[in-house]
Amino acid sequence: MSRKPIFAANWKMNKGASETEDFIQSFLNKTQGLNLAADIVIAPPFISLPRLADLLHNSNPGKNAHAVQIAAQNCSQYDSGAYTGEVSVLMLREFFVHYVILGHSERRSIFGETDAVINAKIKKAREANLKPIFCIGETLEEREGGKLESVLKTQVTEGLKDISEKDLSDIVIAYEPVWAIGTGVTATSEQAQEAHAFVRSLIAGLYGSEPAAKVRIQYGGSVKPGSAAELMACPDIDGALIGGAALEPQSFLEIIKNGTAE
Ligand code: PGA
């Protein structure tokens, strides 16, 4: 089963509109003429989405611009109304947003998002035909306490509760061990492959072997140009969700290049 790898830049709370423009211009220049065999996604802060949409879709951006797709870093589980500070899926659609990162460990641990909230957001995203990048992953304490599999099982089962097989085909899973995020400590390729194979087996248990073989599972957590090739060579790793190393166009591009090299 060949799955197209997907490399997504999660900028977190970095880069306003003008820094977004600087990045995109440089990135598009660097990718000119390259034929990268991967889906490339950028998730800026909400406030930078209009500029990114304009740069990629409206202002005659050159032929490789459409190769870059836009993600949001979050969405509301509600449609509209009295939800101060929230952004709805339909608002995101106006800015050519195709993907939305949901269940990131920072949303879970800092903003208290539960599996049930994440499940509601995944459903809302699918109603608007957005593709969730659904993040899961264990803390160091959970891993060392022998709870890796039970944590992943709960996150996957609860997060995908009542999600149809058809909707699953538009969901990307991102396995991000919390202890590897922003720490400079990457999971070894053996640790990552083992967790990815386990997540795929969970999907097979829920949906059957064919949907499981098709679902893309990204690795995230301190991915760097130097670690991309080895991680992406693992049979169950289908791309990366990248924070720190995706803030610079050159290092984001090197990760994609190294991760897709035959
Ligand atoms: P990192 O972040 O690459 O800086 O570890 C990854 C993420 O949080 O998605």
Side-chain angles (χ1 to χ4, degrees), residues 6 12 29 37 44 107 124 156-157 159 162 167 172 174 180 238 251:
I6 171 167
K12 311 192 181 189
N29 277 337
R107 300 295 319 169
K124 192 53 69 183
V156 168
T157 313
D162 301 325
D167 280 330
V172 176
D238 311 309
S251 87

Side-chain angles (χ1 to χ4, degrees), residues 214-227:
K214 284 190 191 145
V215 72
R216 294 188 291 182
I217 309 177
Q218 297 176 300
Y219 170 79
S222 295
V223 175
K224 301 275 183 298
S227 57

Side-chain angles (χ1 to χ4, degrees), residues 10 12 104 176 180-182 221-222 241-244:
N10 174 14
K12 311 192 181 189
H104 191 279
E176 299 203 301
I181 297 177
S222 295
L241 181 57
I242 307 135

Side-chain angles (χ1 to χ4, degrees), residues 8-12 101 104-106 135 174 176-186 219-224 240-247 255:
N10 174 14
W11 284 351
K12 311 192 181 189
I101 299 172
H104 191 279
S105 72
E106 287 149 19
C135 304
E176 299 203 301
V178 179
W179 46 273
I181 297 177
T183 57
V185 182
T186 317
Y219 170 79
S222 295
V223 175
K224 301 275 183 298
L241 181 57
I242 307 135
L247 290 171
I255 288 172

Side-chain angles (χ1 to χ4, degrees), residues 121-247:
K121 290 185 174 193
I122 291 176
K123 287 178 181 153
K124 192 53 69 183
R126 288 307 304 138
E127 276 176 29
N129 209 17
L130 292 179
K131 298 178 178 181
I133 295 177
F134 166 42
C135 304
I136 54 172
E138 82 290 357
T139 64
L140 188 58
E141 200 184 355
E142 288 163 343
R143 175 173 275 264
E144 288 178 343
K147 296 192 186 132
L148 171 66
E149 295 197 346
S150 66
V151 167
L152 294 180
K153 183 171 183 191
T154 303
Q155 290 175 339
V156 168
T157 313
E158 299 296 312
L160 296 178
K161 197 163 178 229
D162 301 325
I163 300 289
S164 68
E165 183 184 324
K166 185 172 174 301
D167 280 330
L168 178 78
S169 68
D170 283 314
I171 294 175
V172 176
I173 298 175
Y175 168 66
E176 299 203 301
V178 179
W179 46 273
I181 297 177
T183 57
V185 182
T186 317
T188 64
S189 51
E190 290 77 22
Q191 287 172 320
Q193 167 56 28
E194 194 186 10
H196 279 235
F198 177 69
V199 172
R200 203 175 293 288
S201 77
L202 291 174
I203 299 295
L206 293 171
Y207 294 92
S209 55
E210 206 176 302
K214 284 190 191 145
V215 72
R216 294 188 291 182
I217 309 177
Q218 297 176 300
Y219 170 79
S222 295
V223 175
K224 301 275 183 298
S227 57
E230 190 182 328
L231 284 163
M232 297 310 131
C234 297
D236 286 295
I237 301 184
D238 311 309
L241 181 57
I242 307 135
L247 290 171

Side-chain angles (χ1 to χ4, degrees), residues 51-103:
R51 182 75 68 91
L52 186 57
D54 190 47
L55 288 162
L56 294 177
H57 291 271
N58 296 333
S59 49
N60 190 22
K63 96 176 180 343
N64 57 352
H66 289 101
V68 179
Q69 291 181 290
I70 304 176
Q73 295 177 16
N74 187 19
C75 70
S76 173
Q77 67 269 49
Y78 304 111
D79 285 322
S80 65
Y83 301 104
T84 302
E86 293 292 288
V87 174
S88 78
V89 287
L90 291 181
M91 295 170 187
L92 296 174
R93 290 291 313 213
E94 286 185 41
F95 294 106
F96 301 96
V97 172
H98 285 111
Y99 289 89
V100 57
I101 299 172
L102 294 173

